Amino acid sequence: MTDLSDTEQIILSYLRSHPPEECMLDKISMGTGKSRATVLKYLGTLHARGILDYRYVGRSKLWTVKEAHEPVGRTEERDGAKAAPPDAGALVATAAELHGIRVREAEMSEHLDLPETIVLTLTDGWYIVVRNRLFSSVFPDASDFLDLVRPGQIPAVEAAVQARKKSGPVTADLDLREKAGVYRPYRITFFPQAGCTVVVGEDLSAGKRSRRHLEALLYIIRTAGSAPDEAHLLGETMRGVREKLLPYLDGAVFMGDNHRTAYSTWEITEDTKTALSPLLTACTSALQTVSAGREGERLRPLVAGTPVKTVVAVPIIEEETAVGALALLLDADVTAADIENIEIVADEIASALKMQRLDRERTEYVNTLLAMNRISTILNEAEDERSILEQSIDAAMNTLGFEMGCVYLKDEEDAMIPRVHRNMPENLRTMCISGMFDGLFERAFRERNVVYITEGMPGYADLNEVVKANGVRTLLILPIKYGGRVVGLLNMGSTEEKHYMQTSLENISSIGLQLGVALERSVLARALEERAGKKAER
């Protein structure tokens, strides 16, 4: 198809030359050298035009090119149809003429759809009348051409106005405003015609990525791949962006649906989050870069008294879902090529975060197996209840990497009695004893399964503020079961955010079952000793 842009042609070429399993978003992005946000935009366009289709495999979409087919039509004559009234002749002629005009318009519009080229017509007052599909998609709300031009370049446009009156085409390199504070470079040619001016613009952004930019991207990609954790990844990556790619006044990275602040160069207050929230939500919902100028009402509290001119939010995309966003505060306008570079950085952050998460999950899985083995050894050797509980919680905390923990057992009246505490802050210990965590405990008894809460989960927001104030980012509550009922809980907290697969949680759950069996054995052993003592007394 000749009306496809260069990027659309590249995506189609990739899809036709690769097997279906290689046609997911991540693979297409890497294979075409385009950011995920850019690829998603063009995939959506091609799908809307009926050129592409997709099917789900797990949570991912596999994209395919639809087979070309000819539309089949059929006309039928209706028996007994009423004849048109005699006075309808003029109406029918007008409708037929309008139909012909619309068909002709559709045919002519197809000829205007050239790759990476915008075409439009202007009145003497610079009002846009005709526009091709590419212009409509890039500048959907444009009505006045001068509103799109960078203010400093308006004199060049005015010079073109004067030149066009001499009936000769004039060419000028202009930056057109794609979104607030983001400009795309075009080589614009004005062709004066009878009653209008035809404007043809060639997109120059593809040639704006210099060797320096490529070297900066390579440096940032290498940095992302070698970062040991999220903090180092975001810190080094954002520092690379600031020093080598796009100097910004301030920057931040927000993760998750609740926009957790994972990195920032300035203090992020609740008011700051409130100001940025609409921009971040729009960015992560649309999976597209969103920007706003300082004149935006919601951003005024954020930019007041600062040189900030533009705020840009770039989505961090993993498997066609936004897992976070970069927010950059800039004191100058940026080009579309700059945005594309930042989108590539965001993709690298998403990939590195995914690899770090998978590595942590693998590590935690190994730790759960080690914990099961250590506790099994302890339970085979320890005999009395207190020794079983103390050694078990020590082994679980050390192996799984938790800093604090406690064990509660039910007494004969089903009241929760604290048996062992380890490194519990005094305020948390007091709250446990006073019953402040009864809601969480009841949930564990009701579900008869591990309660796993970590920062970023919906349940974390419901935790008591004292828990958060003590830096607890992960909470595990293990039911201790024997005899078909839950007899106690082993609770652990960590200041680190821990990620567990379902298999790991099942392993952790078995620790509570092991502990319950050992306690039951201890009770039976104690009962046998008491019975033997009574017999000896006789």
Side-chain angles (χ1 to χ4, degrees):
M1 295 185 182
T2 58
D3 61 340
L4 296 179
S5 68
D6 290 348
T7 302
E8 289 170 331
Q9 295 278 16
I10 291 171
I11 291 174
L12 283 176
S13 176
Y14 178 91
L15 294 175
R16 290 189 177 114
S17 61
H18 287 75
E21 62 271 14
E22 296 290 322
C23 295
M24 295 182 291
L25 174 63
D26 292 357
K27 301 286 188 180
I28 300 172
S29 175
M30 288 188 290
T32 59
K34 303 292 182 181
S35 70
R36 295 175 193 173
T38 298
V39 172
L40 267 179
K41 178 176 70 175
Y42 284 104
L43 287 175
T45 301
L46 292 170
H47 180 258
R49 295 175 64 182
I51 298 174
L52 297 185
D53 200 358
Y54 65 83
R55 59 187 176 89
Y56 278 100
V57 176
R59 294 187 301 173
S60 301
K61 292 178 182 176
L62 290 185
W63 292 88
T64 56
V65 181
K66 285 187 176 180
E67 295 183 3
H69 60 85
E70 295 294 331
V72 178
R74 182 167 62 93
T75 60
E76 295 182 353
E77 296 183 357
R78 300 178 180 271
D79 296 333
K82 293 183 179 180
D87 58 348
L91 182 64
V92 171
T94 302
E97 183 179 359
L98 180 59
H99 175 80
I101 292 172
R102 292 288 175 83
V103 171
R104 179 63 177 157
E105 179 184 2
E107 292 173 349
M108 295 176 70
S109 296
E110 290 294 324
H111 293 300
L112 297 181
D113 289 329
L114 303 175
E116 310 301 336
T117 303
I118 58 173
V119 181
L120 58 149
T121 64
L122 305 175
T123 66
D124 288 340
W126 298 98
Y127 181 77
I128 302 168
V129 179
V130 174
R131 63 193 75 197
N132 70 347
R133 184 183 291 122
L134 178 60
F135 184 89
S136 297
S137 64
V138 178
F139 309 100
D141 301 322
S143 59
D144 189 316
F145 184 77
L146 289 182
D147 290 342
L148 300 177
V149 179
R150 189 189 292 271
Q153 295 178 335
I154 289 180
V157 178
E158 292 174 343
V161 173
Q162 298 299 322
R164 75 174 182 172
K165 293 180 179 178
K166 301 176 182 179
S167 301
V170 175
T171 299
D173 289 349
L174 301 176
D175 294 332
L176 301 186
R177 187 168 63 89
E178 188 173 293
K179 49 176 71 81
V182 180
Y183 287 83
R184 185 178 290 272
Y186 285 93
R187 178 156 292 142
I188 299 291
T189 303
F190 299 90
F191 295 90
Q193 301 293 311
C196 71
T197 298
V198 176
V199 177
V200 178
E202 177 190 357
D203 188 354
L204 302 178
S205 60
K208 289 292 183 178
R209 187 173 292 154
S210 65
R211 179 178 178 180
R212 179 178 65 83
H213 288 147
L214 294 175
E215 290 175 348
L217 286 172
L218 181 59
Y219 167 81
I220 293 171
I221 289 170
R222 287 175 175 172
T223 300
S226 60
D229 53 40
E230 180 185 276
H232 285 84
L233 166 67
L234 299 180
E236 293 298 321
T237 302
M238 294 297 286
R239 188 177 300 110
V241 170
R242 191 178 211 170
E243 296 175 356
K244 298 178 178 295
L245 203 58
L246 179 63
Y248 56 82
L249 292 175
D250 280 303
V253 180
F254 300 93
M255 301 302 297
D257 295 334
N258 62 344
H259 301 151
R260 171 179 63 85
T261 305
Y263 169 86
S264 69
T265 59
W266 85 104
E267 183 182 359
I268 304 292
T269 63
E270 286 302 318
D271 290 341
T272 302
K273 273 195 176 182
T274 301
L276 286 174
S277 181
L279 201 66
L280 297 174
T281 301
C283 162
T284 53
S285 300
L287 300 180
Q288 293 291 327
T289 297
V290 178
S291 64
R294 64 178 294 116
E295 66 277 1
E297 184 176 348
R298 286 184 174 272
L299 291 178
R300 285 175 188 167
L302 177 64
V303 302
T306 71
V308 174
K309 185 176 181 180
T310 305
V311 180
V312 176
V314 181
I316 300 173
I317 301 171
E318 179 185 322
E319 294 182 354
E320 301 191 32
T321 301
V323 297
L326 307 180
L328 301 179
L329 278 58
L330 306 162
D331 60 354
D333 297 327
V334 294
T335 67
D338 291 329
I339 296 299
E340 176 72 15
N341 289 336
I342 302 303
E343 288 175 346
I344 291 174
V345 172
D347 289 349
E348 291 303 320
I349 290 176
S351 298
L353 287 175
K354 181 179 180 180
M355 293 305 297
Q356 287 182 4
R357 188 185 70 250
L358 293 175
D359 185 60
R360 288 195 303 268
E361 288 178 350
R362 182 173 61 251
T363 300
E364 298 298 350
Y365 175 71
V366 172
N367 288 341
T368 59
L369 296 178
L370 292 174
M372 290 172 61
N373 185 59
R374 287 191 60 183
I375 291 175
S376 177
T377 302
I378 291 170
L379 298 182
N380 287 330
E381 297 174 353
E383 296 181 355
D384 63 286
E385 180 182 286
R386 185 169 187 80
S387 177
I388 290 173
L389 296 177
E390 290 180 346
Q391 293 186 52
S392 295
I393 192 170
D394 289 341
M397 287 173 55
N398 292 335
T399 309
L400 298 177
F402 284 80
E403 296 88 5
M404 61 189 77
C406 61
V407 177
Y408 278 68
L409 295 180
K410 282 186 174 182
D411 62 10
E412 295 178 354
E413 298 178 356
D414 278 350
M416 293 288 286
I417 306 299
R419 294 299 178 91
V420 181
H421 285 96
R422 287 291 185 269
N423 304 327
M424 291 281 289
E426 188 60 34
N427 55 355
L428 286 183
R429 184 171 181 175
T430 303
M431 290 175 67
C432 283
I433 295 173
S434 63
M436 293 293 290
F437 297 124
D438 284 355
L440 281 174
F441 293 166
E442 288 174 5
R443 175 182 167 186
F445 280 107
R446 182 176 64 254
E447 297 179 2
R448 300 172 59 83
N449 207 346
V450 173
V451 175
Y452 166 51
I453 301 174
T454 191
E455 191 174 19
M457 288 185 173
Y460 187 81
D462 299 330
L463 288 179
N464 192 289
E465 291 300 323
V466 176
V467 178
K468 302 176 188 176
N470 279 279
V472 176
R473 298 178 63 189
T474 303
L475 187 65
L476 272 182
I477 302 178
L478 286 64
I480 301 172
K481 295 180 279 189
Y482 73 73
R485 62 193 186 96
V486 178
V487 298
L489 301 172
L490 191 157
N491 314 304
M492 294 184 291
S494 175
T495 56
E496 297 180 3
E497 186 175 346
K498 295 184 174 293
H499 297 269
Y500 292 106
M501 300 179 293
Q502 185 58 38
T503 306
S504 298
L505 292 176
E506 291 172 359
N507 290 343
I508 291 172
S509 178
S510 69
I511 292 175
L513 186 60
Q514 286 179 298
L515 192 53
V517 171
L519 290 175
E520 184 178 24
R521 189 182 64 216
S522 174
V523 170
L524 292 175
R526 190 166 61 249
L528 288 174
E529 289 178 1
E530 291 175 355
R531 185 179 302 175
K534 290 180 181 179
K535 288 183 178 180
E537 290 176 0
R538 293 176 185 174

